[in-house]
Amino acid sequence: MLEIGSPTSLCFRSNTTCNALLRDLQKIWVDIGESDAEKDRMLMELEKECLEIYRRKVDEAANSKAQLHQSLVTIEAEIASIMAALGVLNIHSPMKEKGSKSLKEKIAYVRPLLEDLRLQKDERVKQLVDVKAQIEKMSGELSGYSAMLGSLTLEDDQDLTLRRLNEYQTHLRSLQKEKADRLNKVLDYVNEVHALCGVLGVDFCQTVSEVHPSLHRTNHEQSTNISDETLDGLRNMIEKLKSERSLRFQKLKDVIGSLSELWNLMDTPQEERMKFAKVSCVVRSPESDVTEPNILSTETIEQVSAEVDRFNKLKSSRMKELVVKRRSELENLCRLAHIEPDTSTSLEKSTALIDSGLVDPAELLANIEAQINKTKDEAQSRKEIIDRIDRWLSACEEENWLEEYNQDENRYSAGRGGHVNLKHAERARITVNKIPSMVDNLIKKTLLWEDQTQKSFLYDGVRLVSILEDYKLTRKQQEEEKKRYRDQKKMQDLLSNRRESIYGSKPSPRRSTSIRKANGYNGNVSMPPTPRRNSAGAANSDIMMTPRSYSGHHHGQNGYFKEVRKLSTAPLNFVAIPKEDSASTYTYSEPDSPLHN
């Protein structure tokens, strides 16, 4: 039995229908009376027409198959292209699992896949275009030129892979980081410009607007320009402001220096100085630490300059008083340094010159200022020698104290302070024994100073080397006197011992004491007079002179030197010198002292 719808059944049914129609046609032809030839001809035409119809249908079917095949190839090619662009290596296809051969089934299976790939492609293109648009925009911000983003497209749509998208995103992130770094740098520069403008009292808005208007935005829609040109402009502006700050700082420092000199010169009270205390404090600090607003503004500098002008006018009216004051300072410096002050600007001459109008007081004051500076420099170069002189004079004072102490008959008593005095005496002996070496070293230092400076070292107007040589000579003479006295004392003791052995008697201590007192000094007429402190105008060839002695001798009439001490060597206690004493010329010792070793 034939299956309905199969090609065989269709053919059988077609044949049955054709046979029936043919019988109907033959019957009609019989009724008409058609000839056999006519019937054959008509049957041939009918067969030809049927073949044409079959051939046309076959051609149509073949064309349809070709179109379907072409569509399938096109779809597969597009799928392959999209997959290659997206970087997809393989896609799962249900068609392969079913193993279908029908073209329509194949197309039905691949068309949804194509649509899905198209959606993926569109999404990927959108992502790439979006990232590229951000890159173009950010590159424009970094370069300073705005990019036109309205018609932005991908130049190469054959590479839509994730690798390309990742490269775009990496590039975008690097640009974002660079933008953030530049933005921070711009903000730092702007803050620095703001601080400098504050210190200088300059309009900040106008200053940054000269670099780029976006740096001081009034419209929040406008982003801050971070291009290389803006950064360079900010750096140049900062250098310009720093240079201006340096100039103003130095100018203010100079003006404040002048003002301080005028304050000190005119003894300006502290209350009046407080007006510019802040400015004075600022100029003493490093320039980079100056942050006070408007402290270096032109107004501040003009105010200080005006104050200097005011004091200069006030100074001219008080010039005589200032000259007297500075001259007194010069004389005080000279007194402390034991230097003879320049007599050309003495108080009497300066006052007379100012009153006569022969000299400009400002020039005279400048001359005194120069002398003060010169005196300070010379005092500094003389400091080491002056310190040695002070140590020598202190040693001489210790020598005086030691001699007075040795003359005290109760010095070994157990009274209050006796032990302290014994210790003091021991230290004094050590110091006194160093006096000769002190003097020799002082002479060497003084001669070296004179050789270096090519001038004499004067101590209160007298050459120090001469003072020291006189001191050594006088001390040597007194030591010789002491030696002669000791020899004479030994001879007296020898004669006394002989008388004792002959007459069997011995002079009483009381009688011996009275003889010493009658002779004026410890019982010896040939004793040199006791060295003593000299009065202001005293001069004695037997007195051992020191720099203070010379200052008193040569300047006794000048009240400036009234406080200068005049020292000589201490009085010598010849009674305390034993018969066996054969000590060196400059050594002081006391054999009967409890501290003597």
Side-chain angles (χ1 to χ4, degrees):
M1 187 177 182
L2 296 175
E3 184 180 353
I4 299 174
S6 64
T8 305
S9 67
L10 291 174
C11 183
F12 176 76
R13 189 168 53 198
S14 175
N15 290 336
T16 302
T17 303
C18 287
N19 290 333
L21 290 174
L22 184 57
R23 283 194 299 270
D24 291 339
L25 181 58
Q26 288 176 350
K27 184 180 178 181
I28 294 173
W29 283 343
V30 170
D31 292 338
I32 296 174
E34 291 285 347
S35 63
D36 292 336
E38 187 66 25
K39 289 180 182 178
D40 291 339
R41 185 186 63 77
M42 293 179 66
L43 286 173
M44 288 296 291
E45 290 179 358
L46 181 61
E47 185 178 359
K48 187 183 293 186
E49 289 178 2
C50 288
L51 289 174
E52 289 293 331
I53 292 172
Y54 274 109
R55 189 176 289 112
R56 186 172 66 250
K57 291 299 181 182
V58 170
D59 293 339
E60 289 178 357
N63 291 333
S64 177
K65 178 183 176 182
Q67 290 177 356
L68 289 175
H69 184 73
Q70 184 62 36
S71 297
L72 180 61
V73 171
T74 302
I75 291 173
E76 289 178 345
E78 187 176 356
I79 289 174
S81 176
I82 295 175
M83 288 176 62
L86 295 176
V88 179
L89 299 178
N90 190 15
I91 295 180
H92 175 71
S93 175
M95 179 182 62
K96 293 181 180 180
E97 296 178 359
K98 291 185 179 182
S100 175
K101 302 295 183 178
S102 170
L103 292 176
K104 288 187 176 181
E105 287 181 351
K106 290 181 179 181
I107 292 174
Y109 280 118
V110 298
R111 192 175 296 280
L113 179 60
L114 177 60
E115 295 298 328
D116 183 57
L117 289 174
R118 284 175 176 173
L119 290 176
Q120 292 184 33
K121 177 182 177 182
D122 293 341
E123 182 64 25
R124 186 67 54 79
V125 170
K126 181 180 178 182
Q127 291 176 344
L128 290 171
V129 169
D130 181 53
V131 175
K132 186 176 181 181
Q134 295 183 56
I135 290 174
E136 293 294 333
K137 178 182 178 183
M138 204 156 295
S139 298
E141 292 178 357
L142 296 178
S143 63
Y145 299 100
S146 300
M148 301 299 295
L149 303 177
S151 59
L152 184 64
T153 57
L154 287 176
E155 294 83 359
D156 182 15
D157 59 353
Q158 298 302 316
D159 186 5
L160 303 176
T161 59
L162 286 174
R163 179 182 58 80
R164 185 182 184 189
L165 179 61
N166 291 334
E167 290 176 354
Y168 274 28
Q169 290 175 340
T170 301
H171 187 199
L172 177 61
R173 284 193 294 270
S174 67
L175 291 176
Q176 288 173 338
K177 183 179 183 302
E178 184 178 356
K179 177 182 178 180
D181 293 342
R182 288 197 179 199
L183 186 59
N184 290 332
K185 188 176 292 186
V186 167
L187 292 178
D188 291 341
Y189 285 162
V190 169
N191 290 335
E192 189 170 359
V193 170
H194 184 270
L196 290 171
C197 289
V199 171
L200 297 173
V202 179
D203 187 359
F204 167 71
C205 301
Q206 181 179 355
T207 302
V208 293
S209 296
E210 292 178 6
V211 179
H212 198 277
S214 66
L215 298 177
H216 183 69
R217 297 193 303 265
T218 55
N219 181 11
H220 292 286
E221 295 179 358
Q222 183 182 9
S223 61
T224 302
N225 188 281
I226 56 174
S227 64
D228 291 334
E229 184 180 357
T230 300
L231 290 172
D232 292 340
L234 285 172
R235 277 192 289 266
N236 293 334
M237 181 59 70
I238 289 173
E239 291 300 322
K240 178 181 177 182
L241 291 174
K242 284 184 176 180
S243 177
E244 181 66 19
R245 181 183 67 180
S246 298
L247 293 175
R248 293 192 185 184
F249 182 81
Q250 187 60 44
K251 184 176 181 180
L252 183 63
K253 189 175 183 179
D254 294 340
V255 177
I256 284 293
S258 302
L259 184 60
S260 298
E261 291 179 1
L262 291 169
W263 280 343
N264 297 330
L265 194 63
M266 304 183 70
D267 291 330
T268 305
Q270 196 64 31
E271 295 77 14
E272 191 173 349
R273 301 187 186 193
M274 287 303 295
K275 180 180 178 182
F276 297 96
K278 184 185 294 184
V279 181
S280 301
C281 181
V282 165
V283 296
R284 288 194 296 269
S285 60
E287 177 188 335
S288 57
D289 295 343
V290 178
T291 57
E292 189 72 23
N294 296 319
I295 197 67
L296 297 180
S297 64
T298 54
E299 292 80 5
T300 302
I301 297 176
E302 289 173 357
Q303 290 176 3
V304 181
S305 300
E307 187 72 4
V308 171
D309 294 338
R310 185 178 73 86
F311 268 94
N312 280 327
K313 294 178 181 177
L314 187 61
K315 169 187 169 184
S316 60
S317 63
R318 297 178 54 189
M319 190 59 68
K320 181 178 179 180
E321 178 183 346
L322 295 176
V323 168
V324 172
K325 177 185 175 183
R326 299 302 282 172
R327 174 63 191 187
S328 299
E329 292 181 12
L330 174 62
E331 292 181 353
N332 186 52
L333 287 174
C334 292
R335 179 181 62 82
L336 295 176
H338 298 278
I339 300 173
E340 287 291 293
D342 190 350
T343 57
S344 64
T345 57
S346 63
L347 288 177
E348 296 78 7
K349 289 183 179 180
S350 299
T351 305
L353 288 172
I354 293 174
D355 292 340
S356 64
L358 298 175
V359 176
D360 183 6
E363 294 182 2
L364 184 59
L365 184 62
N367 188 14
I368 295 176
E369 291 287 350
Q371 293 175 13
I372 289 175
N373 294 331
K374 180 181 177 182
T375 301
K376 288 180 178 179
D377 294 339
E378 185 173 352
Q380 185 63 31
S381 69
R382 293 162 55 100
K383 185 177 185 302
E384 182 181 0
I385 296 178
I386 293 296
D387 291 341
R388 288 176 178 268
I389 293 174
D390 290 339
R391 288 196 294 270
W392 169 47
L393 295 177
S394 297
C396 291
E397 291 178 355
E398 285 292 292
E399 187 178 28
N400 287 337
W401 180 89
L402 182 61
E403 291 302 327
E404 293 175 0
Y405 173 76
N406 288 337
Q407 293 176 13
D408 184 6
E409 297 179 355
N410 298 323
R411 60 184 179 279
Y412 300 130
S413 65
R416 185 176 181 182
H419 180 70
V420 175
N421 288 334
L422 284 174
K423 290 289 185 181
H424 186 184
E426 189 65 22
R427 291 194 300 270
R429 290 188 189 95
I430 295 173
T431 302
V432 170
N433 288 334
K434 294 179 181 179
I435 289 179
S437 61
M438 284 184 181
V439 174
D440 291 337
N441 291 332
L442 188 53
I443 292 175
K444 291 178 182 178
K445 283 287 183 181
T446 306
L447 291 175
L448 179 62
W449 185 91
E450 291 180 345
D451 183 60
Q452 291 175 347
T453 59
Q454 296 298 313
K455 62 181 179 180
S456 299
F457 189 101
L458 301 181
Y459 190 92
D460 290 334
V462 183
R463 186 168 181 246
L464 179 61
V465 174
S466 300
I467 297 174
L468 295 173
E469 293 293 345
D470 291 347
Y471 175 82
K472 289 179 65 178
L473 179 61
T474 305
R475 191 180 184 91
K476 181 179 180 181
Q477 292 172 352
Q478 290 191 349
E479 290 298 329
E480 292 174 354
E481 289 291 332
K482 286 165 56 180
K483 185 175 182 303
R484 285 197 298 270
Y485 173 76
R486 282 196 299 269
D487 294 341
Q488 189 178 16
K489 183 70 167 59
K490 288 179 182 180
M491 183 62 69
Q492 289 178 355
D493 290 342
L494 181 60
L495 293 175
S496 177
N497 290 334
R498 286 182 179 179
R499 283 197 301 269
E500 222 179 285
S501 61
I502 295 172
Y503 300 105
S505 62
K506 182 178 178 180
S508 65
R510 181 176 301 176
R511 187 168 176 267
S512 175
T513 304
S514 63
I515 292 174
R516 294 192 192 100
K517 292 180 179 179
N519 288 333
Y521 189 89
N522 292 339
N524 195 325
V525 178
S526 62
M527 261 288 295
T530 304
R532 61 186 179 276
R533 297 177 182 268
N534 300 324
S535 61
N540 191 331
S541 60
D542 293 326
I543 295 174
M544 190 175 296
M545 304 299 287
T546 66
R548 289 171 183 164
S549 305
Y550 273 90
S551 65
H553 177 69
H554 289 275
H555 304 281
Q557 305 302 323
N558 193 340
Y560 167 59
F561 293 98
K562 284 182 179 179
E563 294 184 0
V564 178
R565 291 175 294 177
K566 296 159 285 295
L567 302 176
S568 67
T569 55
L572 304 175
N573 185 2
F574 298 118
V575 176
I577 300 176
K579 300 176 185 178
E580 302 82 7
D581 187 7
S582 59
S584 63
T585 304
Y586 298 116
T587 303
Y588 280 83
S589 62
E590 191 174 356
D592 56 343
S593 170
L595 296 177
H596 179 71
N597 294 325

